[in-house]
Amino acid sequence: MVYFDAASGAPLHPVARQALVASLDEGWADPARLYKEGRRARLLLDAAREAAAEAVGCRADELTFTASGTRAVHTGIAGALAGRRRVGDHLIVSAVEHSSVLHSAEAHEAAGGSVTRVPVDRGGRADAASYAGALRADTALACLQSANHEVGTEQPVAEAAEVCRAAGVPLLVDAAQSLGWGPVAGDWSLLTASAHKWGGPPGVGLLAVRKGVRFAVRGPADERESGRAAGFENIPAIVAAAASLRAVRAEAAAQAVRLRELTELIRARVPELVPDVEVVGDPVRRLPGIVTFSCLYVDGEALLHELDREGFAVSSGSSCTSGTLTPSHVLRAMGVLSEGNVRVSLPAGTSAPDVERFLAVLPGAVAGVREKLGAPAPRAAVRRAELVLDALGKRCPVPVIELAKVIGEVPVGGTVRVLADDAAARLDIPAWCEMRGQEYVGEEPADEGAAYVVRRLS
Amino acid sequence: MVYFDAASGAPLHPVARQALVASLDEGWADPARLYKEGRRARLLLDAAREAAAEAVGCRADELTFTASGTRAVHTGIAGALAGRRRVGDHLIVSAVEHSSVLHSAEAHEAAGGSVTRVPVDRGGRADAASYAGALRADTALACLQSANHEVGTEQPVAEAAEVCRAAGVPLLVDAAQSLGWGPVAGDWSLLTASAHKWGGPPGVGLLAVRKGVRFAVRGPADERESGRAAGFENIPAIVAAAASLRAVRAEAAAQAVRLRELTELIRARVPELVPDVEVVGDPVRRLPGIVTFSCLYVDGEALLHELDREGFAVSSGSSCTSGTLTPSHVLRAMGVLSEGNVRVSLPAGTSAPDVERFLAVLPGAVAGVREKLGAPAPRAAVRRAELVLDALGKRCPVPVIELAKVIGEVPVGGTVRVLADDAAARLDIPAWCEMRGQEYVGEEPADEGAAYVVRRLS
């Protein structure tokens, strides 16, 4: 099995494994205790905090170990909002943050707070000027990821931190995808990360809160981790997290060059090998190991199964892979095709032959799924000036497949009115138009679902 | 080093270690993913849940893995209170619950809820009738530990569950100290536990919520663990927790017999070997491995250091060991002596020679601390009918030591008025009177601190 889903979670780094196993014997006792085992556990915890703080670029007493990256985000956002309650209850996030950030924003809204979601460009990148524009007198906190988890696009965090700092607003940076590659640039106020994303063990998140940032812990009191992470410290995992972060950093520059070459290859070759593909994400300002593309007329889940059968583990932000059938909020915010989406995220040490084999296998896998779904091939048809396509009850990617089949049936200048009730259609029909050089006229209300009007241009 | 602090955290059980190391290779991937590694991780997680649920005595779909026992308690209490918000906001806890429960209660009060703290007897045991008496029409939840963490006293959870069930109120049982010994009896509604207490790894708590119990998750949404434990699952640790729970249970009956013999020995011998000692906790209805005693005229932290130097790791609920200088809330609720407190909690496999050696070392350790503190020896004195002892500004155990020194200076029937401002005095002066057969007349207001009046009877 070739694992190309490092952005979900990296396999355990050998250094992490070694440190974890070693500290099972040394670090199991309660670091709050006064006897020898307790003092030894405390020393391990202190040393891990020093090492992790150095990698983050903060002071040891600014760094808390949490039970996961998600928990770090939840605690960081809630604590910063509570700490600045007197200023106001306005929160700024980008539209492409990780779900832990967006769910925190939803919880904040549900509790009466207000949220601005800053849009991104077609490459998935937010703009520091948009953050400046979103700042208000009652803004308590702004959040911006260091890089996007679905498409790899790097965000302008240093610039965003600068505009926030000028307004006296703290910026929380979710650095889950990038911390293994290097420290986050710029004058951020809070930072979160997750050890299993860089090859550390599960069960460890980082939350850094700069001195001077107002922060109020919410929920029941607890003495551990400066009151910011309730519960007994998981010292073996914390030691492994810190040790592996240091090890991964030492290898980062060399790995970045290797992985960037491999993802460049995928970016360049996929559109040559597979018809009707859109490679998404910023082509330049991106993480070394992530490349994402979407395949027209393809069901993402079916494609993942095909690739799994061929021995490749990849992920998908396609509407058809999640249990909820909602298209990926990231792809939606970018306005790109969401159907048949594949995210390839290479772990450190990925070999070129594995990538070559992936490229060799992909075209057949896509063609196989398309064939099963009955994707379009040209055919003669009666030409009417307007055609109504009833795709009600049909799920992504069927409405777009049907559209592609019938567009040739209207003359150039004629329109197809697609009736559809699948949420993904709103995103995928305009995206298809852009890819195929057809005009997306717009959406109109309909008795059921909505009508998406497309004008044939070629 | 002999480790006698299993109630704080047990050393990793060999089965836990083996399972943890093995599943680092098998269980690192995201169990929500569709590819082979993800499916394998999901299978491990499902199997661990089945095994743990069987040990708890609940259905697998009633059981959530959290990041710690503390987190299980926080989530369980908050969720049950939120789920029954329409019934009311009254919470019942015993006065001797773990701090995670009491801190949850304080957070609930701070948010406007009301809390009843059920008292315990001198053995640390709550009474089901007191729970019945505390129930109100607006009671949303009651909490009772299965056994106390400081003195080992077992609580009447089955009876409490029955009275709660009759009133339609859910009972949450914190089973952190007992789950390794066996399932919790009775018709409880929610149950929490912590793996590192039974020899599992740190980083895993259990939260069981019976079907039909109203439960509303608070905080940001998250899809993992039925929405009840946000963040990436720590599968290797979860697998190790479940495997070790099963292993510990298989050994429980035999270990209980062994450890009970050893703690019986300590209970019997300590008062013979050390003068002025009170063994606390229920002598019969108690956990096999815990025995707690308090030594008059002793600073608990100094005694812990002495014992550490002699190679024994024990814990203390004494006022003098915690950073906050507050006497243990458990000992306070029991009304027993808190000074010079020592909790001995034996891990599985403790050897009789180690216990014998502890008993050989203890008298000298206590005597050494007493000597440094200048504990009383009989002396002749002028007898006055009333004597005022100014112990203002003096901390535990100095006021009691001074009292013991001067009580002989008043005639039988005369009184000593102790002026003290240390919080522990309120507890320790009455406890000393009970131990020494003197009469505690009562507390009176004073310009500074309070006056504690003691009548000499013998």
Side-chain angles (χ1 to χ4, degrees), chain A residues 2 15 26 29 49 75 83 106 153 166 198 221 235 253 276 322 349 352 395 443:
Chain A
V2 177
V15 167
E26 299 284 318
R49 197 186 314 277
T75 302
E106 286 157 18
T153 299
W198 70 65
I235 293 180
D276 298 326
S322 87
R395 291 210 319 233
E443 178 182 339

Side-chain angles (χ1 to χ4, degrees), chain A residues 1 3 5 8 17 21 25 28 33 35-37 39 67 70-71 103 196 202 221 232 234 308 313-315, chain B residues 1 3 5 8 17 21 25 28 33 35-37 39 67 71 103 196 202 221 232 234 308 313-315:
Chain A
M1 191 79 182
Y3 185 73
D5 196 22
S8 283
R17 188 194 169 90
V21 171
D25 297 326
W28 54 269
R33 298 295 174 195
Y35 43 73
K36 190 178 151 206
E37 277 82 359
R39 297 195 304 268
T70 292
R71 186 61 71 182
H103 287 153
H196 80 105
F232 190 77
N234 188 348
D308 180 46
V314 297
S315 182
Chain B
M1 191 80 185
Y3 184 72
D5 196 22
S8 282
R17 188 193 169 92
V21 171
D25 297 328
W28 54 270
R33 298 296 175 194
Y35 43 74
K36 190 179 150 205
E37 276 82 358
R39 297 194 305 269
R71 186 62 71 184
H103 288 152
H196 81 104
F232 190 75
N234 188 348
D308 180 45
V314 297
S315 183

